[in-house]
Amino acid sequence: MTQHALAIDLDGTLLVGEDLSTANRDAVRAASDAGYKVIIATARWRQLAERIGAEIGLRDQPVIACSGAQVYSTADQRDIFDSRLPEDFVTKFYEVCNNHRCIASATVDNHTVLCMQPKPAPEFLSEEMQWIETFGDSLGALPRIATLQGTDAIGVIKEIHEAGFADRVNIFDSIGPSGRLVITITARDAHKGTALDKACNYLGIETSDVVAFGDADNDIEMFKRAGRSVAMGQADETVKAAATDVTTSHEEDGVARFIRSELL
């Protein structure tokens, strides 16, 4: 089977912290130059994916953002897919965040709100990120994705999820740029598998044409759709078992190593 596209996660896969290594940048660029379509598939917002794509030199490729809740066409500057969390769950999520010490975010339309104490230094906030003291009704729309860091708050949210929202809401464990546990929360129909279907349909290719790279639970549905899947060396055994291949860790340029040795 011949693959014609790459779907690559960011945190813990293509990036180390916030940094794109020269080896990974050059390998993905070489794959693009060789004719591979490249889809960035991240739990974070699309603007970050677009910036990383520009740093690599990608043009006019769809972006999977918000852990699959958004598929965005950079060529047309429009959403191909846009899923939002249910309102009743969002209300409970905001209440938990406002009453527990935690770091929480909600990505709404073209911006992400960050709720944490104390207020972070300005350099911590990116162009599309806004700090708020507490969540309220002023966000203007339901979020595509929410994230949460903090042991107590995560425990409460998982209890709420199991008690009444497991059929409508996804919760995935992942490791954030800081190396700490972060849960990502999307609507039930929003995950990287569905998003890969939408992106491939837009590109006019089959999901079996894709080599998918990832390191976390929210990459497994993408692995199931892809013709070939590559888990990072530091991923847990569940993620590795779901992949067809395992490469070295993200700190060892595992994406670049696999592309150079297996695809080019």
Side-chain angles (χ1 to χ4, degrees):
M1 185 179 296
T2 302
Q3 274 79 42
H4 305 288
L6 310 178
I8 311 176
D9 173 54
L10 290 184
D11 293 312
T13 301
L14 196 63
L15 303 183
V16 177
E18 302 288 342
D19 298 326
L20 174 66
S21 72
T22 300
N24 278 346
R25 181 199 66 200
D26 291 349
V28 177
R29 182 181 296 168
S32 177
D33 291 344
Y36 283 90
K37 300 180 185 298
V38 179
I39 304 165
I40 292 176
T42 180
R44 293 208 264 171
W45 46 92
R46 68 161 177 86
Q47 293 93 334
L48 173 65
E50 288 182 287
R51 285 198 293 272
I52 297 298
E55 189 175 343
I56 294 168
L58 305 178
R59 295 289 183 272
D60 299 338
Q61 302 290 338
V63 167
I64 295 172
C66 300
S67 205
Q70 182 183 26
V71 184
Y72 182 79
S73 167
T74 58
D76 303 330
Q77 297 186 335
R78 66 176 179 87
D79 288 328
I80 302 166
F81 178 67
D82 182 10
S83 174
R84 306 293 174 128
L85 282 161
E87 185 174 5
D88 49 350
F89 177 83
V90 170
T91 299
K92 291 182 179 296
F93 175 78
Y94 289 167
E95 289 174 355
V96 171
C97 295
N98 290 343
N99 288 290
H100 290 78
R101 184 174 178 83
C102 61
I103 300 173
S105 73
T107 298
V108 187
D109 291 323
N110 292 316
H111 66 282
T112 295
V113 293
L114 177 67
C115 182
M116 62 179 292
Q117 294 293 342
K119 182 178 181 179
E123 59 268 21
F124 183 81
L125 301 174
S126 60
E127 180 180 337
E128 58 279 344
M129 181 177 282
Q130 304 168 5
W131 176 81
I132 57 173
E133 188 171 2
T134 58
F135 284 114
D137 299 326
S138 60
L139 299 187
L142 292 170
R144 296 185 176 99
I145 186 172
T147 69
L148 184 62
Q149 179 178 313
T151 303
D152 291 343
I154 287 175
V156 174
I157 284 295
K158 286 189 172 182
E159 288 178 2
I160 291 171
H161 175 257
E162 289 301 316
F165 293 95
D167 61 335
R168 292 193 288 149
V169 174
N170 297 316
I171 292 183
F172 292 109
D173 291 349
S174 62
I175 302 300
S178 67
R180 297 178 179 176
L181 174 65
V182 179
I183 60 169
T184 59
I185 308 168
T186 61
R188 191 67 176 176
D189 67 341
H191 53 69
K192 289 186 182 181
T194 297
L196 186 63
D197 289 339
K198 303 290 185 182
C200 287
N201 183 63
Y202 173 80
L203 291 170
I205 63 175
E206 301 295 327
T207 56
S208 58
D209 292 335
V210 176
V211 183
F213 295 80
D215 73 306
D217 290 350
N218 66 342
D219 296 310
I220 292 176
E221 289 297 328
M222 183 169 68
F223 286 1
K224 292 178 181 178
R225 299 318 204 267
R228 195 171 183 182
S229 50
V230 186
M232 305 307 294
Q234 83 284 356
D236 67 31
E237 292 306 314
T238 302
V239 178
K240 289 179 179 177
T244 61
D245 299 88
V246 177
T247 187
T248 56
S249 77
H250 65 313
E251 294 181 341
E252 300 169 294
D253 297 321
V255 171
R257 287 173 183 262
F258 190 89
I259 288 174
R260 297 290 189 190
S261 66
E262 299 289 331
L263 304 180
L264 297 181

